[in-house]
Amino acid sequence: MANQGQKQEPNPVQRLDGLTHAARGAATKGLPPVHLWNPPFCGDLDMRIASDGTWFYLGTPIGRPALVKLFSTILKREDGKYFLVTPVEKVGIRVDDVPFLAVEMEKAGEGAARTLSFRTNVDEWVPCDGAHRLRFEAAADGGLTPYLHVRADLWAKVTRALYYDLVEMGEIRLVDGREMFGVMSGGAFFSMADAAQARDPV
């Protein structure tokens, strides 16, 4: 039996319910201003975002999309670590790769006037431009994995199907004196690879 003066730690269900309540209380029409919040660190939560974008709590997938979307709005990255932040608490979570997945793409215009927009797995549309850049990293299979900057230090991995669409739109441009293969969007050119290596970029 616990001592009367000893503080009882909330059980996992209570902890998640408390975080959910605080997140809903902080919700606004737009994204909450998590960059302005600096609450005390309350430890790590057994929550993980897998590389395919699935959120887990206590090893079980979170099956409520609305809850995942809510938590995604209070996500913050500091010093390479991820946290869920409300005005009153900050808890650490694990992210296998990046927290979001870009699952749909829309195109407006062509060539230099083209603007691409991506929908994430939490239904947030992000324009691809100078403020929301694409970067391409070498994949284990020898190809490339694209990532889209969503906000602050949070990124979305672009699905393989959309990567093929980006390759189809690719063109060669001179960048700092080098011919590069990449894609235009929002007035910016995003290099995928050296033009000499772009004959078979996948």
Side-chain angles (χ1 to χ4, degrees):
M1 183 175 178
N3 295 330
Q4 290 184 349
Q6 185 176 354
K7 186 178 179 181
Q8 292 277 348
E9 286 292 326
N11 65 43
V13 174
Q14 290 173 327
R15 196 172 187 195
L16 187 64
D17 285 347
L19 182 66
T20 303
H21 180 74
R24 284 182 177 144
T28 61
K29 289 185 178 180
L31 290 168
V34 294
H35 61 288
L36 301 178
W37 298 341
N38 191 28
F41 177 63
C42 301
D44 291 324
L45 197 66
D46 188 2
M47 187 176 288
R48 177 175 71 92
I49 306 176
S51 59
D52 66 356
T54 303
W55 289 57
F56 291 84
Y57 183 59
L58 299 176
T60 301
I62 299 176
R64 295 166 55 193
L67 190 58
V68 169
K69 187 173 182 177
L70 176 67
F71 287 151
S72 75
T73 66
I74 59 169
L75 187 63
K76 188 177 185 181
R77 190 182 186 197
E78 294 178 341
D79 300 324
K81 297 180 180 179
Y82 291 90
F83 303 91
L84 296 181
V85 183
T86 73
V88 296
E89 67 177 325
K90 178 169 86 171
V91 294
I93 69 169
R94 289 174 292 145
V95 177
D96 289 355
D97 186 3
V98 293
F100 303 120
L101 214 61
V103 297
E104 184 181 346
M105 179 174 66
E106 287 190 350
K107 179 180 71 169
E110 294 292 343
R114 179 195 299 127
T115 296
L116 303 174
S117 296
F118 292 85
R119 182 177 65 84
T120 71
N121 58 316
V122 292
D123 289 329
E124 181 178 351
W125 280 97
V126 182
C128 177
D129 52 27
H132 303 91
R133 304 186 64 82
L134 279 171
R135 63 179 168 89
F136 296 83
E137 294 190 359
D141 61 3
L144 295 172
T145 300
Y147 294 89
L148 174 71
H149 180 224
V150 176
R151 62 179 182 272
D153 199 14
L154 304 177
W155 292 75
K157 181 165 63 177
V158 179
T159 62
R160 177 63 60 167
L162 295 185
Y163 168 52
Y164 292 139
D165 291 340
L166 291 173
V167 171
E168 285 295 319
M169 289 184 281
E171 58 187 281
I172 294 175
R173 286 184 173 241
L174 203 62
V175 178
D176 295 330
R178 291 176 58 195
E179 285 192 334
M180 301 295 293
F181 179 81
V183 63
M184 282 289 302
S185 178
F189 181 74
F190 304 102
S191 299
M192 296 186 196
D194 189 285
Q197 303 170 345
R199 297 181 186 276
D200 185 18
V202 179

